[in-house]
Amino acid sequence: MSDASSTLVPSPASGGLLASLDPLLRPWLPRQRWFAGKGRPVTGFTLVAATELLPPGPPGRPKPDSPGLLHLLVRAQQPAGPGPGAATDPGDSYQILIGVRRTLPPRLAPALIGRPADGPLAGQAVYDALHDARLTEVLLERLRLPGRLGALRFARAGQGDIPAGLPARVLGAEQSNSSLVYGERLILKLFRRVVPGVNPDLELPLALAAGRSTRVPAPLAWLEADGGAEPLVLGVLQPFLRGCDDGWELALGALARGEDFSGEARALGRATAEVHAALAEALPTVTLGPARLAALATQMTERLDAAAQAVPALHRHVPGLRTAFEAMADPSPAGTSLTAQRVHGDLHLGQCLRGPDGHWSLIDFEGEPVKPLAERRLPQPPVRDVAGMLRSFDYAARSHQPWAPEWADRCRDAYCAGYAEAHGRDPRDEPVLLRAFETDKAVYEALYEARHRPDWLPVPLAAVERLAAPVPAGARADTGGPLGRARAGSRWSPG
């Protein structure tokens, strides 16, 4: 790949590269939006893998200051708890793409990480490579050509064109990942905190593409690294849905103009049901019997009790909220088993895109990044996604002044009606399940808002108050009232 005079990675066993970068990465990594270990200092790094994607131009050759591109997988060491005597956490693994130049152009100054004082990169500018058009072009070219390079494996799907030479821009709204849009035609999502195993954001779109679903962009290529028994999925390249608007912005626009959004909500309900049907056909389903439902209810109750310890405003609602979980675990009602399947796992308005023709697509199947990968890949009742979307409508309504609860009520009803049109079963006809999953989400929201956005705490608390109220026997699920939920870590949700 390169000769010894120009390589960025002199020896995997030398440790010199990482040792020289350590003083620069320790302050830089915690400042990144996608860093998951905030609040605890980084005490060191372990090198998982280092791969040179492009050697720098050495002195004495044409273009001696051409950039180099280095792909790093590092494990960040952090104390497991507060205090100087705390044990060291094994640490999360992160994907970092580093550019190297002897002279950094002014346009790349904001991307600078630093200049190592020693080691193989001594004195050179080390920076975030995603902001360098030359290096993002290299990354795209690697994805066009399947094969291995060091610890990395570049894979292609069997169909779909990947043009060369497309300019890239970095999307700025994401929290837990980074995305590059190439020529408004392709989008590369790079997972920053990586764990071994199949990432649902690759697994589920591949399964849907095999079933010819039109609701989810099909993966064109992906990037993996060796991770022991299971690979590390590092990135997925998909078509960019040009000219689309996300559901969150559309909803806020409708609210600002005083317009009804129930027609869009109904269409979005149909799209959700179609994706659920396609996932159930493409991947195995399981039956949750009374014991599994009881275990699920116990987990929800434990989350409630933990949240109530941290959020005093929840205390008086705990007895009423527990009844939602107890009802789900009660084997007495007719039909004590439930079919579970793979679902989106983190569905909200911001995960849905509407095209110029009105066609809705669903994106970002990673699930809630804070949860373990094994948990995100478990089959779930489809009503979990439905509950997530119903909660999202209220977060949109509360973003508008004055608050528009009736707008949210109409959207919630229309969404469920649209789901029923495509699925054949109305989520409101499963009131026990819908109430339990909405309650679980509202409790999570209350905990998040109390910790991070106290001004937003009234949103989930209003939902908590309604959900804690006694439910008349045989009542259909009430989708009215203040209920909302959206993705952790996004501008439209807690997390």
Side-chain angles (χ1 to χ4, degrees):
M1 168 180 172
S2 61
D3 60 34
S5 65
S6 64
T7 184
L8 299 176
V9 189
S11 169
S14 70
L17 173 68
L18 186 59
S20 67
L21 293 175
D22 184 299
L24 307 180
L25 293 178
R26 286 198 196 196
W28 178 82
L29 190 64
R31 294 198 302 267
Q32 308 313 302
R33 298 176 69 186
W34 39 263
F35 180 65
K38 295 187 185 299
R40 294 176 293 149
V42 175
T43 58
F45 296 95
T46 302
L47 184 63
V48 177
T51 305
E52 186 184 68
L53 293 174
L54 180 69
R61 295 188 183 179
K63 298 184 179 179
D65 201 25
S66 61
L69 177 58
L70 177 62
H71 184 283
L72 285 184
L73 288 171
V74 298
R75 187 178 297 278
Q77 300 162 4
Q78 295 184 271
T88 300
D89 192 299
D92 293 316
S93 292
Y94 292 93
Q95 173 180 202
I96 305 174
L97 287 104
I98 287 180
V100 180
R101 288 178 182 258
R102 289 176 178 81
T103 303
L104 195 66
R107 60 183 172 80
L108 292 175
L112 180 66
I113 297 174
R115 292 181 180 271
D118 50 28
L121 306 179
Q124 301 191 64
V126 170
Y127 59 99
D128 184 349
L130 298 190
H131 297 275
D132 190 332
R134 173 70 184 95
L135 299 183
T136 55
E137 182 181 349
V138 170
L139 193 56
L140 179 63
E141 189 63 24
R142 292 292 186 188
L143 287 162
R144 295 182 67 243
L145 304 172
R148 295 190 66 93
L149 181 63
L152 304 180
R153 185 174 77 89
F154 298 86
R156 282 285 303 268
Q159 55 191 6
D161 179 42
I162 302 179
L166 297 177
R169 63 180 175 89
V170 181
L171 289 184
E174 291 182 291
Q175 295 259 2
S176 57
N177 302 296
S178 298
S179 288
L180 292 167
V181 175
Y182 285 95
E184 306 302 309
R185 296 180 62 181
L186 306 172
I187 182 167
L188 172 62
K189 183 176 182 180
L190 294 167
F191 305 110
R192 292 300 203 158
R193 184 172 70 94
V194 294
V195 296
V198 179
N199 193 305
D201 212 7
L202 173 61
E203 178 190 18
L204 299 188
L206 277 176
L208 290 166
R212 302 187 181 279
S213 171
T214 63
R215 294 291 186 179
V216 178
L220 300 172
W222 57 95
L223 170 63
E224 295 179 336
D226 297 328
E230 296 185 283
L232 299 168
V233 178
L234 304 177
V236 181
L237 183 72
Q238 294 172 284
F240 181 66
L241 300 181
R242 190 174 184 175
C244 291
D245 297 300
D246 77 57
W248 175 256
E249 297 296 341
L250 287 171
L252 293 189
L255 280 161
R257 295 186 298 272
E259 296 175 357
D260 183 66
F261 196 68
S262 57
E264 297 293 353
R266 195 180 196 102
L268 190 49
R270 290 194 295 269
T272 305
E274 290 179 17
V275 170
H276 282 170
L279 286 172
E281 184 176 348
L283 297 167
T285 62
V286 299
T287 299
L288 303 182
R292 294 282 298 276
L293 286 173
L296 185 58
T298 297
Q299 294 169 2
M300 292 178 172
T301 302
E302 290 172 350
R303 287 194 287 268
L304 168 62
D305 292 340
Q309 292 295 319
V311 186
L314 285 175
H315 286 170
R316 67 185 181 92
H317 298 296
V318 167
L321 296 175
R322 280 184 180 148
T323 65
F325 307 139
E326 292 165 356
M328 185 174 70
D330 185 358
S332 60
T336 56
S337 64
L338 178 70
T339 298
Q341 62 167 82
R342 298 300 297 276
V343 298
H344 183 283
D346 189 24
L347 192 61
H348 59 79
L349 284 165
Q351 307 285 41
C352 306
L353 300 177
R354 191 196 67 181
D357 60 354
H359 181 84
W360 282 96
S361 300
L362 274 58
I363 60 171
D364 291 341
F365 282 74
E366 187 181 2
E368 295 181 357
V370 295
K371 292 187 176 180
L373 179 61
E375 182 177 340
R376 286 185 270 143
R377 295 187 67 213
L378 288 175
Q380 300 281 344
V383 72
R384 175 181 174 179
D385 280 350
V386 173
M389 185 60 69
L390 297 185
R391 310 263 319 129
S392 189
F393 286 122
D394 191 62
Y395 263 87
R398 287 300 292 253
S399 297
H400 180 265
Q401 296 298 327
W403 178 33
E406 297 82 5
W407 180 95
D409 295 349
R410 291 192 298 271
C411 288
R412 290 161 58 87
D413 278 326
Y415 178 81
C416 288
Y419 190 96
E421 290 171 0
H423 188 274
R425 187 168 185 176
D426 195 316
R428 293 169 293 185
D429 291 335
E430 299 178 307
V432 171
L433 281 175
L434 194 55
R435 181 188 175 211
F437 276 91
E438 287 185 337
T439 299
D440 189 46
K441 288 181 178 295
V443 168
Y444 165 78
E445 291 165 2
L447 179 61
Y448 177 87
E449 303 297 11
R451 288 176 172 173
H452 302 285
R453 302 190 302 191
D455 290 346
W456 281 80
L457 185 56
V459 180
L461 287 182
V464 161
E465 184 169 0
R466 185 189 71 87
L467 291 162
V471 178
R476 196 186 202 207
D478 174 16
T479 59
L483 294 170
R485 165 73 173 103
R487 181 173 185 177
S490 71
R491 64 190 184 279
W492 48 76
S493 71

